[in-house]
Amino acid sequence: SLVGVQVRFIINNLTPNNVNDSITELKSLKQNYGQEISLYILTCLVEAVDFSEPKPLQKDVARLQLLSQEITELSHQSNFTSFILRTFPEDMEISFICNILQLPLIQEIAIGLAFAQSNNTNVQQRGTEFLQKKLMDIQPDNIDLSKVPEHLLHGLLFVMKTQVDFEQQLANVLKIFNIQKDQLDEKTSLSLCSILVGSQGSNSHWSFRAEAEQGANINRQLSEKLMGTVCPAALMEDIGYSCCSNANQLQKFLSKFLPLKE
């Protein structure tokens, strides 16, 4: 399409001198054409950068700057994992991506989480190992908690709760983020409630009957419907964060299907 040609032309001719004008032009395209253009911009940037060298080539400096900015912006969207897995080669080292882009710790963790959720077992293993290391690096002085998207926190807690060898990382994250089960109330998002409640049977299935008693009625009603039938946290991972960012949104989504008793 003409828009795709325009995007590729902008990226192929990107220089330090025109980077600001190019960013403005790409921003306008994203506003007009939505997330498909964001995905295409990311794809074009990854294809245009020469990742074969350990240090950035001079011709790629502006593209790497823009790629880093795009990743930071997209990391606040709930479909960030899809963006990363659809654009970066599966055999590319995660640490190399983060180093060459000079990403802050929270974006490094977001990329590691994306690879850890890949359907490819080898990619998933590399992502998991990278994530295990980076989660132990989190400290109050090297991460701005106010800038951590809730969908990212939910994804991290889900992975740590459902995969082995994350006990230390889970304890560290809960401590740094000051997350405690006994402090859950009606203001706590439904997505985090599904992760933080106590377990029944295995570490991947939780009942939050007792915790939901402290919350709003709609949270309790939804949890009662889901409890014993599915793993709430896994359901939220499957249907996407935007469908369950709050109880009303999840209720609206579930209403499109047959009653659970059927």
Side-chain angles (χ1 to χ4, degrees), residues 42-94:
L42 199 64
T43 300
C44 290
L45 283 169
V46 172
E47 291 177 352
V49 172
D50 185 356
F51 287 104
S52 63
E53 299 295 330
K55 293 185 178 181
L57 300 177
Q58 186 61 35
K59 68 180 183 66
D60 288 332
V61 170
R63 296 189 186 101
L64 287 170
Q65 177 186 342
L66 180 57
L67 181 56
S68 177
Q69 181 174 314
E70 287 293 310
I71 287 176
T72 299
E73 180 180 317
L74 292 171
S75 67
H76 291 271
Q77 299 187 21
S78 57
N79 56 351
F80 177 73
T81 292
S82 176
F83 275 104
I84 295 300
L85 295 179
R86 292 174 65 181
T87 52
F88 283 94
E90 291 185 339
D91 59 348
M92 188 174 290
E93 286 296 325
I94 308 172

Side-chain angles (χ1 to χ4, degrees), residues 117-175:
Q117 294 176 308
S118 171
N119 291 326
N120 183 309
T121 54
N122 292 328
V123 176
Q124 184 182 106
Q125 180 62 30
R126 289 192 290 111
T128 299
E129 292 174 355
F130 179 84
L131 197 58
Q132 287 174 326
K133 294 177 182 178
K134 287 298 175 181
L135 288 174
M136 293 306 297
D137 293 337
I138 295 179
Q139 298 296 331
D141 59 351
N142 65 8
I143 191 167
D144 186 348
L145 302 185
S146 65
K147 294 183 179 180
V148 179
E150 189 176 312
H151 72 84
L152 174 58
L153 183 57
H154 175 270
L156 285 173
L157 291 172
F158 180 80
V159 167
M160 289 186 287
K161 279 274 194 173
T162 56
Q163 295 190 23
V164 297
D165 300 328
F166 270 101
E167 291 84 0
Q168 288 184 322
Q169 289 82 359
L170 178 59
N172 187 50
V173 169
L174 292 178
K175 177 182 178 181

Side-chain angles (χ1 to χ4, degrees), residues 13 17 45 73 75 89 95 107 111 131 141 181 186 194 208 215 226 236-237 257:
N13 292 277
N17 294 329
L45 283 169
E73 180 180 317
S75 67
S95 57
Q107 265 75 54
I111 288 182
L131 197 58
D141 59 351
K181 289 195 301 180
E186 67 276 5
S194 70
F208 47 112
L226 294 173
M236 292 177 178
E237 283 291 300
F257 300 90

